[in-house]
Amino acid sequence: MQPLTGLLPDEIYSALDLKQSFRGKQIFKWVHSGAESFTEMTNLSAALRENLSSRCVLFSSMIATEVVSRDGTVKITIKLEDGLFVEAVLLEDETGRKTACLSSQAGCAMGCKFCRTGTMGLLRNLSPGEIVEQFLLLQNKYGRISNIVFMGMGEPFENLASVRKAIEIFHHQDGQNIGLRRITISTCGIISGIDSLAEEGPAVRLAVSLVSGDQDTRTSLMPITKSNPLPELKKSLKQYQLSTGKRFTLEYVLLGGVNDTLKDAEKVRHFIGNMKAAVNVIPWNPADTLPFKEPEEENVNLFLDRLEELGVTVTRRYRRGRGINGACGQLAVFENSSDSSNPG
Ligand code: SAH
Ligand code: SF4
């Protein structure tokens, strides 16, 4: 049976073969208000609680290790039912607002050259419950989380059914009730996924990891560009904007000496054309063994200034969680054991 964390109230009702349908809603509410066992569900009869405890467990995964960095970023390594590990990160901004950075897959098949997760290859897709549990494990321990970004391990559009289901659960009014605008899907640029999001929703925010506005450079950094070329990607984003009326974000990982010149900034401008997009510049986070270097501070500023001069809205992602390999693209778990005990 699927873990209950991956089910909606009605599905809990049928999966557990409960007599009354409101029981499904009661259990759903408990799970999403922090219960980690049936014993805590005091509005169910003792007999029912006991019966449920003997039949199933609520959570399929557990926290294996956790590290808190000096800036307050928390990274947890989660052990899945089959022994694989995934990571999830909790970020807190100056106002205290908490964002969960969730993984959609164990590993990733996309093989982007600058990304640590990319070096793992794909182990498997996560189930909706395994995605929801990352959130619950963080929230139950660290308090109310208001925002979600799918920027952990994996490519969300390669596991869209599970991601959609998890979002439906996060958005449900009897559970977390998180607004769709507080949820962001980040993709390496899978056109079919963008099209599907535009046509069928959900109406979450979209971020696309552009990394280069030059077809050849991008292909060498992100092999997926070969089958999802920039002109097609642009067409799909235009259509997305037309049908949703939404702005989107372009994530731009700045790699020292690779994509950080003024000319590169101009190519980003060219890619944007007349679309409404904001660029989020992320200076590359070192990930051991990967053959890149951080951009010079001066070049980061020149790059940002040039984009601004060209009329592009830019933000700079400040570095969080780096000391614990919990920053973007630093997530990876090798050989079924966490590397978090050895912070980078
Ligand atoms: N697969 C999705 C979401 C996960 S990656 C995607 O590619 O968008 C989340 C973000 O981290 C992406 O914007 C990616 O470009 C960025 N990233 C990957 N490796 C990085 C690194 N070493 N330093 C900084 N950002 C990185
Ligand atoms: Fe996968 Fe995203 Fe990393 Fe590329 S950047 S390897 S798509 S997780």
Side-chain angles (χ1 to χ4, degrees):
M1 191 172 85
Q2 268 211 62
L4 292 191
T5 47
L7 301 179
L8 291 159
D10 283 351
E11 295 167 335
I12 295 182
Y13 161 65
S14 12
L16 292 178
D17 208 9
L18 299 165
K19 290 200 179 59
Q20 302 124 311
S21 71
F22 72 92
R23 296 281 183 219
K25 180 166 155 180
Q26 281 181 324
I27 295 174
F28 183 80
K29 277 187 166 176
W30 277 111
V31 169
H32 289 278
S33 58
E36 286 174 359
S37 72
F38 290 106
T39 332
E40 296 166 55
M41 304 183 182
T42 47
N43 57 358
L44 308 183
S45 71
L48 180 58
R49 276 183 267 161
E50 204 163 296
N51 170 284
L52 294 175
S53 310
S54 68
R55 281 200 286 148
C56 59
V57 285
L58 280 186
F59 279 64
S60 66
S61 52
M62 55 185 267
I63 298 182
T65 57
E66 64 190 289
V67 231
V68 183
S69 81
R70 273 184 296 272
D71 61 24
T73 303
V74 179
K75 179 176 80 169
I76 57 173
T77 303
I78 294 169
K79 188 174 183 188
L80 305 174
E81 216 170 9
D82 60 0
L84 289 179
F85 291 87
V86 288
E87 295 180 326
V89 177
L90 182 71
L91 301 140
E92 188 170 343
D93 69 13
E94 322 72 51
T95 65
R97 186 181 68 174
K98 294 189 180 75
T99 298
C101 176
L102 306 182
S103 297
S104 53
Q105 301 182 303
C108 183
M110 302 294 107
C112 304
K113 300 285 190 287
F114 51 86
C115 172
R116 210 155 168 252
T117 312
T119 61
M120 294 173 64
L122 177 67
L123 303 177
R124 70 170 170 84
N125 277 336
L126 300 184
S127 70
E130 288 169 334
I131 296 173
V132 172
E133 286 177 29
Q134 297 169 48
F135 178 96
L136 291 174
L137 290 170
L138 284 170
Q139 179 168 270
N140 292 351
K141 186 138 195 200
Y142 294 98
R144 179 83 185 138
I145 298 171
S146 57
N147 292 62
I148 294 170
V149 293
F150 283 92
M151 292 187 185
M153 298 163 75
E155 167 52 46
F157 285 153
E158 291 283 292
N159 187 19
L160 188 50
S162 290
V163 168
R164 273 200 170 112
K165 182 65 183 288
I167 291 173
E168 205 181 338
I169 293 171
F170 290 135
H171 185 50
H172 198 286
Q173 56 178 14
D174 294 320
Q176 306 304 331
N177 198 11
I178 296 185
L180 296 179
R181 279 170 311 167
R182 291 180 178 275
I183 301 176
T184 303
I185 291 184
S186 176
T187 176
C188 61
I190 311 271
I191 292 168
S192 58
I194 298 171
D195 293 348
S196 171
L197 197 67
E199 284 158 24
E200 292 161 50
V204 292
R205 288 180 190 270
L206 175 68
V208 177
S209 303
L210 183 65
V211 186
S212 173
D214 178 85
Q215 174 70 17
D216 292 340
T217 311
R218 194 174 195 270
T219 307
S220 69
L221 296 169
M222 304 175 78
I224 190 70
T225 314
K226 218 180 265 174
S227 49
N228 294 258
L230 283 176
E232 305 288 318
L233 177 62
K234 185 167 171 172
K235 239 190 257 168
S236 158
L237 286 169
K238 273 191 168 166
Q239 189 50 46
Y240 169 86
Q241 197 138 67
L242 211 62
S243 44
T244 64
K246 284 189 175 26
R247 271 162 70 104
F248 54 84
T249 305
L250 294 172
E251 308 282 332
Y252 196 95
V253 182
L254 211 51
L255 306 156
V258 175
N259 64 352
D260 61 349
T261 65
L262 297 181
K263 187 123 190 76
D264 291 306
E266 283 150 22
K267 287 186 175 168
V268 174
R269 177 72 195 93
H270 180 73
F271 178 81
I272 295 175
N274 60 5
M275 297 188 286
K276 278 188 256 114
V279 176
N280 188 204
V281 173
I282 316 167
W284 183 66
N285 290 311
D288 46 25
T289 73
L290 297 186
F292 294 97
K293 55 181 201 286
E294 295 176 64
E296 304 283 342
E297 187 59 25
E298 192 191 340
N299 292 340
V300 178
N301 290 325
L302 287 170
F303 190 88
L304 290 166
D305 290 348
R306 184 69 187 130
L307 280 176
E308 262 179 359
E309 260 169 37
L310 294 168
V312 178
T313 310
V314 278
T315 50
R316 173 180 179 163
R317 168 100 44 95
Y318 60 109
R319 301 169 164 178
R320 308 204 68 131
R322 274 180 41 157
I324 56 171
N325 275 345
C328 291
Q330 289 186 313
L331 303 184
V333 185
F334 293 96
E335 292 170 1
N336 271 6
S337 72
S338 166
D339 61 351
S340 358
S341 54
N342 183 21

